[in-house]
Amino acid sequence: MIVGDLLELDDLHIGLAWGTSDLLGRQVTGVTSTDLQDPARYLQPGELVLSGLVWWRPDQTTAALRFATSLRSAGVAALLAGEGTHGSVPKSLVEACRTHGIPLLSVPPGTSFRAVTDRVYLRLWGDLQTRSHGVAAIPEAARRELLGLLHTGTRLDEVLARAVARLGLPDCSVVTASGRVIASSTTGGGAARGSVPIGPQDDSPFDGWLLQPHTVPEPWAAGLLPGLAELLTPLATRVRATAAAQRQTAARAAELVAQDGPEPELLDTLAACGLPPGAALVPVTVRLDGGTAEPWAAAWAVSALAEALHRIGAPFAAGTDGRGGAVGLVAAPAAAVTAGLRSAWPALQSRLTGRRWLRAGVGPATAPTGEQLRGALVQAAYAQDAGAATNRTSGTDTDVRNSAAAVGSSVELGSLADLLRGIPVEVTTAFHRRLLAPVVEHDRENSVSLLGTLNTFLDHDGSWARTAEALHLHVNTVHYRIRRIEELTGRSLARLEDRIDLRAALLCAPPAR
């Protein structure tokens, strides 16, 4: 496929804003949608770039040139500019594309980007079929019928049901690599009996589509499954491209929140993510322990987060946070987001090997403004760290795989112990030693445990009698031990402030080794 082929698709009404005949002859390798000002790092050579021009403003004279420079550095085939946002393609963008030799095509308001993307990938797939004649085992008549359904936007469930009936296949489902059912030929799905990859599989263990029969197919039917998977490849590729574009936009939204970016641009970017205007948003943070320093860690974290949020069924945006992790914004109640993540977490965690664990934090629902989102994101990150600390107190890895521990929620931080868990262990350990080192040293050299006495005394609200009863001691012995603790720490257990400090120091004890 070449760029000029787009001008021959009469039903899409794509026009030529600028381009020469030789530039229109460029080969097309794919298509990506983006509304980032500088999307170069997300683009591949030979791609068509679809942009709604959300980033362009009349008062920013250099914006168009910066955007075109980014496209040229990525080696894209052409730019398709949507006219829906501004009514026409800005003249400054035409001149910028002329300067950099980038073919510029216009997409009218009545033509959806999805329709353009579908047609591009169907055409690319058709070219591939021509070059690899005989690869697909599906009869030509059935292939044309199923392609027609895909082209008209028929639900994937219906396409699968038609394929099963037309070809005599067992019932099938299309699932993600982590097991989320995207579509099924029958209500309720079924048990997996092997799987066939649909299109190229991503490096992430959470991405990629699979075609799964519900029963073991007959040998002749097994030969048709790869053909059906190949038929669905353009759809899978389009969904992957759309997801990649959405993640770029979400990453930009996270960047604007973190850097206190312009409020109008933030609102435009949130709208470009598909989030409902003005809706309260719940922030989510995710990181991959055991692989944070790896270059793929952030991408894997985003993929895992998107998989979990898809299962909730609410509008969301997910992208990288610029620090090796992922951040998401969800238009749903915080409790529902937390419950949904915890439900999905075991399946996601099972996709990881070695000592790698997914961690998430959920913040409170907040208004979609930069200041409010920034504060809510800080709370989400803190809840993530608090959950990550759970296994440190147990000294095992068992709790790490517990979804309640792996997914922390800021609204569940309801005690001093919960609050302290989010503080880095180096800080809490230093605080513990600063306040209680003399007591620890005393217990190391004596058979009497002053730490145990202190803990019991505080557990019983400073009651001498109940502490003595719990420790099976005379009350005078308790008085002596408490005085000794006060001498060693320089704190008075008669003062509420000192009691709180010592309780916090006890809770900050380093994990047992």
Side-chain angles (χ1 to χ4, degrees):
M1 178 182 182
I2 61 174
V3 174
D5 291 340
L6 292 167
L7 301 174
E8 300 176 6
L9 303 176
D10 296 335
D11 57 321
L12 296 182
H13 308 292
I14 295 174
L16 178 63
W18 181 83
T20 62
S21 57
D22 59 325
L23 293 177
L24 293 177
R26 286 179 172 177
Q27 290 291 326
V28 174
T29 61
V31 58
T32 291
S33 298
T34 184
D35 269 306
L36 298 180
Q37 174 70 67
D38 182 9
R41 62 185 181 276
Y42 301 109
L43 304 176
Q44 299 295 325
E47 284 187 322
L48 298 171
V49 175
L50 281 165
S51 178
L53 308 185
V54 172
W55 50 267
W56 185 82
R57 295 183 182 280
D59 57 340
Q60 296 178 354
T61 57
T62 62
L65 188 60
R66 286 173 54 200
F67 186 74
T69 302
S70 178
L71 300 189
R72 181 184 179 184
S73 67
V76 304
L79 169 63
L80 280 73
E83 297 179 321
T85 303
H86 303 289
S88 62
V89 178
K91 292 183 179 179
S92 61
L93 182 59
V94 176
E95 291 305 315
C97 288
R98 189 194 309 273
T99 299
H100 285 299
I102 300 172
L104 176 60
L105 282 65
S106 60
V107 181
T111 299
S112 71
F113 280 7
R114 174 174 179 174
V116 176
T117 303
D118 283 348
R119 293 296 293 276
V120 169
Y121 279 117
L122 283 172
R123 177 62 183 269
L124 290 174
W125 183 84
D127 293 346
L128 176 64
Q129 288 294 292
T130 301
R131 294 194 298 269
S132 55
H133 178 70
V135 170
I138 293 181
E140 183 61 24
R143 186 181 73 85
R144 285 199 302 270
E145 178 184 353
L146 295 173
L147 272 178
L149 293 175
L150 290 170
H151 176 61
T152 56
T154 303
R155 285 172 49 87
L156 184 53
D157 305 76
E158 298 177 28
V159 175
L160 286 177
R162 183 71 64 86
V164 166
R166 189 82 161 75
L167 302 172
L169 297 172
D171 280 312
C172 299
S173 294
V174 172
V175 302
T176 62
S178 59
R180 176 172 59 89
V181 177
I182 297 171
S184 180
S185 63
T186 183
T187 304
R193 294 293 184 269
S195 61
V196 178
I198 299 176
Q201 300 299 291
D202 295 335
D203 293 333
S204 166
F206 311 108
D207 284 329
W209 282 14
L210 302 171
L211 178 64
Q212 289 186 339
H214 298 172
T215 59
V216 178
E218 298 291 336
W220 62 268
L224 291 176
L225 289 175
L228 178 57
E230 189 173 14
L231 197 70
L232 298 175
T233 294
L235 178 60
T237 305
R238 179 186 63 76
V239 170
R240 185 183 297 113
T242 301
Q246 291 172 337
R247 292 174 188 181
Q248 295 172 26
T249 309
R252 176 55 180 163
E255 183 181 358
L256 288 169
V257 171
Q259 298 180 359
D260 194 19
E263 200 73 17
E265 184 179 357
L266 173 60
L267 293 177
D268 287 343
T269 305
L270 292 176
C273 289
L275 295 170
L281 300 176
V282 172
V284 182
T285 61
V286 174
R287 77 162 183 261
L288 182 65
D289 282 353
T292 308
E294 300 293 342
W296 39 257
W300 284 23
V302 173
S303 297
L305 176 57
E307 269 294 289
L309 295 180
H310 269 299
R311 303 178 190 220
I312 295 175
F316 74 88
T320 56
D321 63 4
R323 299 184 300 277
V327 62
L329 297 170
V330 195
V337 174
T338 302
L341 291 179
R342 287 175 178 170
S343 175
W345 229 243
L348 297 174
Q349 181 60 53
S350 68
R351 297 290 300 166
L352 295 173
T353 58
R355 297 179 62 83
R356 295 173 181 159
W357 301 285
L358 286 165
R359 295 291 187 190
V362 181
T366 186
T369 66
E371 182 178 359
Q372 302 245 17
L373 285 174
R374 204 156 33 251
L377 274 170
V378 170
Q379 293 184 58
Y382 196 87
Q384 171 187 280
D385 291 340
T390 300
N391 71 301
R392 294 203 301 261
T393 61
S394 66
T396 70
D397 292 332
T398 303
D399 290 339
V400 178
R401 301 179 184 275
N402 180 279
S403 57
V407 181
S409 171
S410 65
V411 299
E412 295 176 358
L413 297 178
S415 69
L416 179 61
D418 293 335
L419 188 65
L420 292 173
R421 274 200 295 269
I423 300 176
V425 66
E426 294 82 3
V427 176
T428 55
T429 299
F431 181 76
H432 171 84
R433 290 172 178 165
R434 191 173 301 119
L435 269 66
L436 295 176
V439 182
V440 173
E441 186 63 27
H442 171 278
D443 286 0
R444 186 179 294 118
E445 298 176 354
N446 297 273
S447 59
V448 174
S449 174
L450 294 183
L451 280 179
T453 302
L454 174 61
N455 193 59
T456 304
F457 183 73
L458 295 175
D459 282 346
H460 290 83
D461 304 319
S463 169
W464 305 98
R466 286 190 288 137
T467 302
E469 183 180 356
L471 294 175
H472 306 290
L473 296 173
H474 191 279
V475 69
N476 289 341
T477 305
V478 174
H479 276 279
Y480 168 77
R481 291 187 181 182
I482 294 301
R483 284 198 302 272
R484 185 64 179 137
I485 291 170
E486 291 176 331
E487 291 171 0
L488 291 171
T489 62
R491 304 295 179 115
S492 171
L493 284 164
R495 298 179 66 241
L496 177 61
E497 183 178 354
D498 285 347
R499 287 190 189 186
I500 293 173
D501 287 346
L502 292 174
R503 168 61 80 188
L506 287 170
L507 292 171
C508 289
R513 296 185 180 278

